[in-house]
């Protein structure tokens, strides 16, 4: 099931047909081959000269005419993660690899060192490779960087955007708000009222959306949201462990925790074990993502299924369509999430078992 948002397939740019490589060369006082080197991502151009040419290309909204995939470059897809060190990333890679293999393309994998905006040296390497297209995961491009790809007719798609995407940028994600809502509704339905959430970084859109869904479920149930029960972690085990330990040592500790990722849920489970709390008798835990490990831990984790591989396949197919010169009818695609109930959630204890 897909939940989709439609936007007109326009990137807001209008290329000036009167602008040519020759006119750019004349304006910047360089040779035509030098402009061509910059367009082709060659490294043998002085930095100040390159910057001057790039500025002129952006000023005139120069865009190389897209003459089909054969002239854009080899059958490569550049896949860039803001950070690459979790099972979550593996699911994305698998989905991209499946779709790329079906189209007889190869994938170049890179990491942005935790940054949500790539450094110029990464973009220079992409321009030198001249791939069919680029997929950015939890990251996006600045205006000037975006034009550098567009001027070479290299399309890009953002997968699981870190913030509100600029107009005209194709994006693929999932319904994070609904995921947070369904996880919290499940805990409320079991009878929990003291529910905490440990989401991801606050500067990431999906983190905020899951917390918004959490808030909505509590408000819908007529419960007051306890501000100190809302935590922002890092999506990794350590964040879940640290916040879990702090929450579970409070005198008014929560009876349930909605972790914003399965990895953070593993951290919460460890914190609970160290404190002698049984899951789900003393504490219910809900994760997010439905990674393979979530079904193998003890107890098996109740979690929100985020269709990561399907998201990756969708993003790759969208990118391939763009590289082939097709204009997508859908600029933003949000896939549906689904709650998977397992063994880590149960009604809260009503009395002291001792």
């Amino acid at each position: 099931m897909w939940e989709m948002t439609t936007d007109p397939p326009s990137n807001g740019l209008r290329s000036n047909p009167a602008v040519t490589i020759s006119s750019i060369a004349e304006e910047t006082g360089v040779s035509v081959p030098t402009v061509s080197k910059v367009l082709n991502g060659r490294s043998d151009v002085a930095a100040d000269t390159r910057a001057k040419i790039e500025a002129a290309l952006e000023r005139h909204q120069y865009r190389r005419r897209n003459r089909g995939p054969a002239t854009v470059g080899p059958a490569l897809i550049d896949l860039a993660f803001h950070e690459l060190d979790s099972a979550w990333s593996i699911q994305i890679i698998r989905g991209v690899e499946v779709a790329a293999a079906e189209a007889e393309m190869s994938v170049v994998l890179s990491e942005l060192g935790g940054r949500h905006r790539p450094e110029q040296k990464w973009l220079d390497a992409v321009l030198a490779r001249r791939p069919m297209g680029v997929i950015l995961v939890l990251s996006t491009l600045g205006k000037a960087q975006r034009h550098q790809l567009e001027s070479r007719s290299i399309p890009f798609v953002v997968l699981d955007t870190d913030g509100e995407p600029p107009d005209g940028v194709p994006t693929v994600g999932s319904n994070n708000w609904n995921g947070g809502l369904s996880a919290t509704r499940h805990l409320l339905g079991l009878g929990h009222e003291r529910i905490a959430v440990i989401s991801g970084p606050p500067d990431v859109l999906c983190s905020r959306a899951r917390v918004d869904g959490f808030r909505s479920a509590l408000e819908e149930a007529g419960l007051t949201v306890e501000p100190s029960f809302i935590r922002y972690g890092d999506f990794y085990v350590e964040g879940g462990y640290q916040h879990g330990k702090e929450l579970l040592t409070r005198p008014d500790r929560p009876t349930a925790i909605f972790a914003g990722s399965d990895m953070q849920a593993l951290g919460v489970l460890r914190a609970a074990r160290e404190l002698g709390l049984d899951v789900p008798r003393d504490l219910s835990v809900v994760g997010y993502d439905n990674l393979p490990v979530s079904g193998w831990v003890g107890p098996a984790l109740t979690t929100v299924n985020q269709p990561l591989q399907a998201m990756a396949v969708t993003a790759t197919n969208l990118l391939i369509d763009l590289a082939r010169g097709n204009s997508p009818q859908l600029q933003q695609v949000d896939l549906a999430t689904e709650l998977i109930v397992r063994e880590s959630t149960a009604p809260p204890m009503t009395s002291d078992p001792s």
Side-chain angles (χ1 to χ4, degrees):
M1 177 180 177
W2 288 12
E3 298 177 4
M4 305 178 184
T5 303
T6 59
D7 286 317
S10 170
N11 58 15
L13 295 177
R14 296 291 184 270
S15 180
N16 184 350
V19 178
T20 65
I21 292 179
S22 297
S23 64
I24 294 292
E26 182 178 355
E27 178 181 325
T28 54
V30 301
S31 66
V32 169
T34 299
V35 177
S36 182
K37 286 180 180 180
V38 171
L39 283 169
N40 290 324
R42 292 272 296 274
S43 60
D44 53 341
V45 178
D48 56 344
T49 302
R50 179 186 300 277
K52 182 168 60 174
I53 293 170
E54 290 286 4
L57 293 170
E58 183 175 2
R59 185 164 56 251
H60 293 291
Q61 293 299 306
Y62 174 87
R63 299 187 72 189
R64 172 176 282 166
R65 187 182 300 275
N66 189 356
R67 292 166 295 204
T71 64
V72 174
L76 295 176
I77 292 174
D78 255 274
L79 173 61
F81 286 83
H82 87 294
E83 206 162 28
L84 185 61
D85 60 356
S86 74
W88 181 92
S89 305
I90 298 300
Q91 299 303 305
I92 296 290
I93 293 169
R94 285 176 176 166
V96 173
E97 287 279 7
V98 166
E102 289 182 356
E104 299 183 343
M105 297 180 182
S106 299
V107 179
V108 177
L109 183 63
S110 58
E111 184 189 44
L112 305 180
R115 291 177 294 273
H116 295 294
R117 301 292 181 275
E119 292 183 336
Q120 186 59 39
K121 65 180 180 180
W122 171 84
L123 187 56
D124 289 341
V126 171
L127 297 179
R129 282 192 292 272
R130 300 191 67 206
M132 297 281 289
V134 175
I135 298 175
L136 293 153
V137 184
L138 271 176
S139 55
T140 191
L141 302 173
K143 181 181 177 182
Q145 292 178 325
R146 177 179 171 182
H147 183 262
Q148 284 181 267
L149 288 182
E150 290 170 338
S151 65
R152 279 80 168 176
S153 291
I154 300 175
F156 70 97
V157 173
V158 176
L159 176 58
D160 211 4
T161 176
D162 67 306
E164 291 295 338
D167 290 340
V169 175
T171 62
V172 177
S174 66
N175 194 329
N176 290 286
W177 181 86
N178 189 69
L181 181 77
S182 62
T184 312
R185 278 179 172 173
H186 169 65
L187 294 170
L188 290 166
L190 290 171
H192 293 276
E193 294 186 355
R194 295 201 310 278
I195 306 171
V197 60
I198 306 172
S199 195
D203 62 340
V204 175
L205 182 63
C206 65
S207 297
R208 301 195 302 272
R210 292 169 198 176
V211 171
D212 288 344
F214 166 83
R215 289 178 185 273
S216 295
L218 290 179
E219 291 168 358
E220 178 183 72
L223 297 176
T224 301
V225 178
E226 169 56 51
S228 62
F229 274 15
I230 298 176
R231 303 296 183 97
Y232 290 93
D234 56 7
F235 281 144
Y236 297 106
V237 175
E238 185 65 23
Y241 174 76
Q242 293 294 343
H243 285 289
K245 201 81 174 282
E246 293 173 12
L247 288 164
L248 296 175
T249 52
R250 294 170 55 125
D252 62 340
R253 69 171 179 84
T255 62
I257 295 178
F258 165 39
S261 71
D262 287 344
M263 302 309 292
Q264 286 191 154
L266 296 182
V268 172
L269 292 178
R270 178 180 173 181
R273 274 197 311 273
E274 290 184 1
L275 294 170
L277 298 175
D278 179 80
V279 176
R281 187 189 66 185
D282 303 314
L283 175 72
S284 286
V285 180
V286 179
Y288 202 103
D289 289 329
N290 194 28
L291 299 176
V293 68
S294 65
W296 289 97
V297 296
L301 189 63
T302 295
T303 186
V304 176
N305 180 56
Q306 181 175 210
L308 296 172
Q309 289 195 35
M311 289 161 56
V313 168
T314 301
T316 307
N317 288 334
L318 176 57
L319 183 71
I320 291 170
D321 278 346
L322 289 167
R324 289 172 174 167
N326 300 322
S327 297
Q329 293 183 340
L330 296 171
Q331 286 289 100
Q332 296 180 356
V333 180
D334 281 336
L335 276 65
T337 54
E338 178 187 10
L339 182 71
I340 307 296
V341 179
R342 296 195 180 104
E343 300 165 4
S344 66
T345 51
M349 292 180 57
T350 56
S351 61
D352 189 335
S354 63

